[in-house]
Amino acid sequence: MGRYLLRRLLQFVPVFLGTTFIVYTLVWAVPGDPFAGKCGERQCPETFISLMTDRYGLNDPLVVQYFTYLGKVVSGNLGETFSGVSISEQLLNSAPITVRLAIVALLIQIVIGVVAGVMTGIRGRGFLDNLVLVSTLLLISLPTFVTGSVLQILLGVEWGIIDPTVSPEATWGELIVPGFVLGAISMAYVTRLTRTSIAENRRADYVRTAIAKGQPTRRVVFVHLLRNSAIPVVTFLGTDLGSLMGGAIVTEGVFNINGIGGLIFRNIAEKEGVMVTTIVTLLVLVYLLMSLAVDLLYAVLDPRIRYE
C-alpha cells in the first residue's frame, strides 16, 4: 500500500503541472486589456499600466510567469488581485460556504440516490421503479438554474417555507434546498447507477450462497450486495465532489450565496486572472486528492483488490 501511495503521489506532479499550466495559459493568453475598468469609466494612464505590468511580471514569457506564480502558491503566498484585494482573504471568506454547500449536496446524493437505487434495484420492474426512472430522467433533463428558480419561487416566494435568498452566514439549514439543487442531476445519476449495479449483482453467486446459508435479507443486502455494488457509485461520488465545488456558480447565483462560484463569476467578469487561476488550481488539487481517496477506498469495499 505504501509503495502504491508513493507512486500515485509522484503521478500527481506531472498531472498537476500539466493541468494548471493549461489553465494558466488559457487565462493569460486571452486577448484583451487586463486593466480595463480598473480606473473607472476612463482608460487607465500608460504609467499605471506600465507599473502594474512590471509589478505582476506580465512582460515575462508565459512559462516564466507560470513558474513564478506556482512558486508563490507552493510557498502559501497567493498574492493580490489587480484591485489590491488579498486572494487568501477572499478565499477564506468564500471557500467554507461552498464546501458546506458541496457537502450538503453530496449527502443528499448519497442518502436519496443510494436508497432509491437500492430499493428499485432489489424490487425490479414495478410502479416504484418506473416512478424513480421518470423522476431521475426529469431531473437530468432540467438545467440547474430551472430547478433552482422553480424551488426558489415555490418554496420561498409562494409557500414561504424557506428564505428566497441565503443569508451571509449560510448556515447548514439554509443550504439544504440549494444543496438539493446543486446535487439534483448527480443524484439522478447516482440513483440510476446504484439501481443498475444492484440489479446486476443480486443474481451473483455470492448472493445466492449467502441466501442459501440462511443469512437475513438485511445482511445480504447491506453487507454483501451493496458493498460489492458500491464501487462504481463511489467512483462517481468521489470525482463529483470536485464538480460540485466548481459547478456551484449557477446555484450560488440563484440563491445569492457568497461562495466560490460567485467569486469565480465576479473575477471572470472583472478579468482578475490571478484569482481565477488560483481557484482553478485549488479545484485541481481537490480532484487529484479525491481520485486518490476513491482508489484507496476500493480495497476497503472489495477485499480482492490489493495495491502493491
Side-chain angles (χ1 to χ4, degrees):
M1 177 68 75
R3 187 182 303 174
Y4 172 79
L5 183 60
L6 178 61
R7 188 166 65 247
R8 284 298 305 272
L9 291 175
L10 291 176
Q11 290 174 355
F12 280 0
V13 176
V15 174
F16 177 77
L17 292 176
T19 52
T20 53
F21 180 73
I22 291 173
V23 170
Y24 192 91
T25 302
L26 291 175
V27 170
W28 291 102
V30 174
D33 182 8
F35 305 110
K38 298 296 185 293
C39 301
E41 296 182 356
R42 62 187 180 88
Q43 187 176 359
C44 291
E46 290 296 330
T47 53
F48 172 81
I49 294 177
S50 177
L51 178 65
M52 295 294 286
T53 301
D54 292 337
R55 178 179 177 181
Y56 289 95
L58 299 182
N59 285 327
D60 297 332
L62 191 63
V63 175
V64 176
Q65 294 182 42
Y66 167 73
F67 281 105
T68 301
Y69 161 77
L70 198 62
K72 292 180 180 179
V73 171
V74 171
S75 65
N77 178 22
L78 301 182
E80 298 179 345
T81 64
F82 293 146
S83 303
V85 179
S86 172
I87 294 177
S88 299
E89 183 179 344
Q90 290 201 38
L91 287 176
L92 288 175
N93 292 333
S94 301
I97 298 176
T98 301
V99 170
R100 288 201 297 270
L101 178 62
I103 291 175
V104 170
L106 196 66
L107 290 176
I108 289 174
Q109 291 178 32
I110 295 173
V111 174
I112 300 179
V114 172
V115 170
V118 170
M119 293 175 61
T120 53
I122 292 175
R123 296 187 179 185
R125 296 291 180 180
F127 173 76
L128 180 62
D129 185 62
N130 291 329
L131 178 62
V132 169
L133 288 177
V134 171
S135 302
T136 53
L137 182 61
L138 180 64
L139 288 176
I140 293 172
S141 303
L142 289 176
T144 301
F145 70 89
V146 173
T147 306
S149 300
V150 170
L151 291 180
Q152 184 185 48
I153 293 173
L154 290 179
L155 300 180
V157 179
E158 297 294 334
W159 300 338
I161 299 176
I162 64 170
D163 291 329
T165 58
V166 174
S167 66
E169 291 76 19
T171 61
W172 290 96
E174 291 178 308
L175 294 177
I176 292 177
V177 175
F180 176 84
V181 173
L182 178 60
I185 296 178
S186 296
M187 181 187 68
Y189 284 118
V190 168
T191 302
R192 286 173 167 256
L193 193 59
T194 306
R195 171 187 174 274
T196 302
S197 188
I198 290 288
E200 290 178 352
N201 288 323
R202 69 176 180 171
R203 299 181 181 87
D205 292 338
Y206 66 87
V207 175
R208 289 198 294 266
T209 302
I211 295 175
K213 288 182 177 180
Q215 294 192 9
T217 303
R218 181 176 300 178
R219 179 176 176 80
V220 173
V221 172
F222 291 101
V223 175
H224 299 288
L225 183 57
L226 182 58
R227 183 174 178 178
N228 286 277
S229 303
I231 290 181
V233 180
V234 168
T235 302
F236 179 85
L237 289 173
T239 55
D240 190 53
L241 181 60
S243 301
L244 293 176
M245 292 283 292
I249 297 178
V250 175
T251 303
E252 291 184 0
V254 171
F255 292 95
N256 194 30
I257 301 173
N258 297 320
I260 291 292
L263 194 63
I264 293 176
F265 180 80
R266 289 193 302 272
N267 283 276
I268 289 176
E270 296 171 3
K271 297 184 178 181
E272 292 285 1
V274 181
M275 176 66 79
V276 175
T277 307
T278 302
I279 294 175
V280 175
T281 300
L282 295 178
L283 292 179
V284 169
L285 282 175
V286 171
Y287 269 110
L288 293 175
L289 293 176
M290 288 307 302
S291 66
L292 177 61
V294 167
D295 286 347
L296 296 178
L297 193 56
Y298 287 163
V300 177
L301 295 173
D302 191 344
R304 295 171 298 179
I305 299 176
R306 288 291 180 265
Y307 295 116
E308 300 295 339

